[in-house]
């Protein structure tokens, strides 16, 4: 009798167990995605004096390493944008995306603007971000805005949970940096830079 009851209950217990595993793993992935966005924005904002393509590469290497546990390189994309005042007179006064760099094999673009956006108009006057949560840089400084998109894939099988599209945004003000232009003092070729076009989709 006990064996029969166990056999009847086993499918239910197995389903609950696997669903619990998937839910817990998804929660961990959501936390890591948010932490990666914070890490990207904070580290890019901490670079002093000026920022170079080599600095960006080091930041992206950190993201790749920190996100390896969830396969971020192959399934995600981080987009780092530097936002500052565009220096235009009214009515074109606003902010511009001075530079933008990316890492990850997921083929997506920023939801809030590409490099050069806002240079000659007030389209980014309120800043970057969702409509009700836009954030702008303080005067005479810049804002590092990091956006992450990631496809979560189930650990077991998709019968318990379908693929989930996760996203996160974080922003930090640049600290003690006089020059906001992204330099290339080490003469990195375009192939080694973290550009945001489809030619630079890579998990590494």
């Amino acid at each position: 009798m006990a064996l029969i009851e166990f056999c009847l209950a086993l499918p239910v217990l197995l389903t609950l167990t696997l669903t619990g595993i998937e839910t817990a793993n998804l929660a961990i992935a959501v936390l890591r995605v948010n932490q990666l966005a914070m890490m990207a924005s904070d580290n890019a904002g901490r670079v002093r004096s000026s920022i170079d393509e080599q600095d960006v590469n080091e930041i992206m290497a950190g993201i790749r390493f920190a996100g390896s546990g969830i396969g971020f390189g192959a399934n995600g994309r981080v987009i780092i944008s530097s936002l500052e005042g565009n220096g235009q007179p009214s009515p074109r006064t606003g902010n511009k995306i001075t530079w933008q760099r990316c890492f990850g094999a997921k083929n997506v673009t920023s939801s809030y603007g590409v490099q050069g956006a806002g240079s000659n108009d007030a389209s980014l006057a309120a800043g970057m971000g969702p409509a009700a949560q836009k954030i702008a840089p303080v005067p005479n400084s810049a804002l590092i805005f990091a956006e992450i998109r990631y496809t979560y894939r189930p650990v077991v099988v998709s019968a318990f949970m379908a693929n989930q599209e996760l996203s996160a945004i974080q922003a930090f003000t640049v600290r003690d940096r006089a020059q906001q232009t992204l330099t290339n003092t080490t003469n990195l070729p375009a192939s080694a830079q973290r550009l945001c076009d489809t030619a630079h989709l890579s998990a590494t």
Side-chain angles (χ1 to χ4, degrees):
M1 181 67 70
L3 182 60
I4 293 174
E5 291 177 350
F6 176 75
C7 291
L8 291 174
L10 183 60
V12 176
L13 292 174
L14 184 60
T15 299
L16 291 175
T17 300
L18 293 177
T19 301
I21 291 172
E22 289 291 0
T23 302
N25 197 65
L26 175 60
I28 292 172
V30 170
L31 177 62
R32 287 185 177 177
V33 165
N34 279 279
Q35 289 175 332
L36 288 174
M38 182 179 296
M39 176 181 171
S41 180
D42 189 23
N43 286 348
R46 287 178 182 273
V47 181
R48 303 296 179 93
S49 301
S50 63
I51 187 166
D52 191 83
E53 293 285 2
Q54 188 60 47
D55 295 317
V56 173
N57 277 2
E58 291 175 2
I59 292 167
M60 297 306 190
I63 296 296
R64 181 184 64 203
F65 178 77
S68 61
I70 59 172
F72 180 79
N75 300 298
R77 185 82 159 165
V78 57
I79 305 168
I80 301 177
S81 305
S82 178
L83 187 69
E84 63 176 318
N86 63 9
Q88 296 293 329
S90 181
R92 293 180 293 156
T93 305
N95 300 295
K96 63 178 180 179
I97 299 177
T98 308
W99 56 264
Q100 190 173 78
R101 292 294 182 267
C102 301
F103 162 69
K106 187 176 177 64
N107 189 8
V108 293
T109 57
S110 173
S111 301
Y112 308 109
V114 298
Q115 181 171 310
S119 296
N120 297 302
D121 56 51
S123 59
L124 295 178
M128 296 179 70
Q133 299 175 322
K134 291 185 181 296
I135 183 169
V138 298
N140 302 316
S141 185
L143 182 80
I144 298 296
F145 188 93
E147 177 185 357
I148 281 186
R149 310 272 284 283
Y150 171 75
T151 301
Y152 171 80
R153 303 185 188 283
V155 175
V156 188
V157 291
S158 58
F160 294 98
M161 183 177 292
N163 289 355
Q164 304 285 320
E165 293 299 318
L166 307 181
S167 63
I169 55 173
Q170 290 285 345
F172 278 80
T173 298
V174 169
R175 278 84 91 191
D176 299 326
R177 186 189 302 159
Q179 174 59 262
Q180 307 302 339
T181 303
L182 184 62
T183 61
N184 187 16
T185 58
T186 54
N187 296 316
L188 286 177
S191 59
Q193 298 174 22
R194 298 294 184 174
L195 304 179
C196 292
D197 53 24
T198 54
H200 289 78
L201 294 173
S202 173
T204 58

